Amino acid sequence: MSETIETWFDQPLVFTIAARHVRGRFVRLGPVLNTIMAAHSYPPVAERLLAEALVLTVLLGSTLKADGGQMTLQAQTGGGPIELLVCDYRGGELRGYLKFDAERLAEAGLDPTLFALFGEGFLAITFDQEATNERYQGIVPLEGASIGEAAEHYFEQSEQISSLIKLAARHDAEAGCVAGGMLLQHLPEGEVGRDRLHVRHDVPEWEHAKAIGATLKGEELTDPAISLETLAWRLFHEDEVRVEPGVTVSRGCRCSTDYFAGVLAQFPEAEQRDMADDQGKIVVDCAFCSRIFPIALEEIATHH
């Protein structure tokens, strides 16, 4: 492992342990995370949940190889105080937001279970490959101790890939919100794309790597003084670990007056007039960045 590379914040670190047929990635979000959070006033429980979900979105979204591909993570409630959680990742651009009932969320306490947050909710993970126009979605129940465990079930059920996901988030007085995560996966032996219906789950090399990965502490993932390379070395120093920095993450809200005008132009003109206010403007509220966009009907007309 090279000691010259140092990865700290807002950039995934991709690693492989060839001898154990294991691949993985780390990420720690800081400045980008705080930029996303700054658009909202989330209570601590909501901030932590969204921070962990954004980390998970980077871990999964950064596995997309094709240009223009997008990964969307959406958690839908089954009657819990969290009404909606949406995050997406596209080419290094990250965004996300939460919609919640503040009173009910406050009643859930400081360390609520997934069930207390979502009820009998579901996690939907969608991969859109723009280059090939392919879309794949997996939906699993929001079960387990964390949203990371729910994502592990997704890989087990939808991909037949054994996975370990660790997520952690905290609020620091100086650094603001800091969150980190690790995705560890066992690669089925043989060629890519082979029939994986009969993947063995009692593989010693995977069980060993998983046991080591499980020792990773949340404090390590969110400690700004520990580089991601150091984390990889600490955990897997028994093996040869190959590391490669991934695409730098940035806040990626794609909202603009021009973008929304283009979307609204797809509605019939009669519906546009119904949506407009007395000044002839349609007011659009972006849930991701909490900005208001008043868009004139004349501007929408230029997109026809």
Side-chain angles (χ1 to χ4, degrees):
M1 181 187 287
S2 171
E3 295 181 2
T4 59
I5 308 169
E6 291 290 321
T7 309
W8 302 92
F9 278 104
D10 301 340
Q11 184 177 22
L13 181 74
V14 183
F15 65 90
T16 54
I17 309 171
R20 298 194 184 276
H21 304 283
V22 166
R23 68 180 175 194
R25 56 194 62 219
F26 290 102
V27 73
R28 181 184 296 127
L29 300 179
V32 164
L33 189 57
N34 282 285
T35 304
I36 293 172
M37 295 295 183
H40 307 269
S41 297
Y42 291 121
V45 169
E47 180 185 84
R48 187 169 71 242
L49 173 66
L50 181 57
E52 291 187 356
L54 286 164
V55 167
L56 178 60
T57 301
V58 175
L59 290 172
L60 303 186
S62 62
T63 63
L64 283 166
K65 292 180 175 63
D67 292 338
Q70 177 170 310
M71 178 267 165
T72 304
L73 183 148
Q74 184 168 333
Q76 293 189 317
T77 187
I82 302 293
E83 296 166 17
L84 183 65
L85 184 157
V86 181
C87 303
D88 67 36
Y89 175 98
R90 183 176 182 177
E93 295 188 344
L94 177 69
R95 61 181 185 170
Y97 78 95
L98 271 180
K99 184 180 179 184
F100 59 94
D101 183 316
E103 286 186 17
R104 292 185 61 204
L105 186 62
E107 292 169 3
L110 294 176
D111 194 21
T113 62
L114 271 187
F115 183 79
L117 292 171
F118 292 99
E120 293 183 357
F122 290 86
L123 181 69
I125 295 174
T126 309
F127 289 93
D128 286 294
Q129 297 277 14
E130 192 174 276
T132 55
N133 208 25
E134 290 178 300
R135 190 171 198 260
Y136 180 77
Q137 184 179 69
I139 301 176
V140 292
L142 270 168
E143 296 174 344
S146 69
I147 199 167
E149 280 193 26
E152 289 176 8
H153 298 155
Y154 158 80
F155 279 111
E156 197 73 41
Q157 293 179 26
S158 301
E159 307 277 349
Q160 284 84 51
I161 297 176
S162 297
S163 305
L164 173 69
I165 296 173
K166 303 277 282 187
L167 303 171
R170 65 182 177 85
H171 196 97
D172 184 87
E174 294 181 7
C177 191
V178 179
M182 177 187 72
L183 169 65
L184 193 67
Q185 294 185 314
H186 179 235
L187 291 169
E189 294 175 35
E191 296 179 13
V192 174
R194 60 166 275 228
D195 183 359
R196 294 186 297 188
L197 293 176
H198 304 289
V199 173
R200 289 171 51 212
H201 295 287
D202 58 342
V203 184
E205 70 229 13
W206 164 245
E207 294 302 327
H208 179 80
K210 183 181 178 182
I212 291 173
T215 66
L216 180 63
K217 295 180 175 61
E219 297 79 30
E220 294 174 289
L221 283 169
T222 59
D223 187 344
I226 304 174
S227 72
L228 301 183
E229 285 80 8
T230 300
L231 282 183
W233 170 247
R234 279 185 183 177
L235 285 174
F236 305 111
H237 59 270
E238 297 176 8
D239 299 294
E240 180 186 351
V241 184
R242 296 181 182 178
V243 298
E244 180 185 355
V247 176
T248 301
V249 181
S250 61
R251 174 179 172 273
C253 200
R254 297 184 287 278
C255 62
S256 67
T257 300
D258 190 62
Y259 171 77
F260 287 129
V263 172
L264 291 167
Q266 298 171 33
F267 289 87
E269 288 186 22
E271 287 187 32
Q272 292 176 25
R273 288 193 294 271
D274 288 341
M275 288 187 277
D277 60 18
D278 295 341
Q279 282 77 45
K281 293 182 178 180
I282 299 174
V283 178
V284 180
D285 180 359
C286 177
F288 285 101
C289 66
S290 291
R291 288 163 65 197
I292 306 294
F293 293 84
I295 300 166
L297 291 174
E298 296 83 13
E299 188 164 357
I300 297 170
T302 65
H303 286 261
H304 284 290

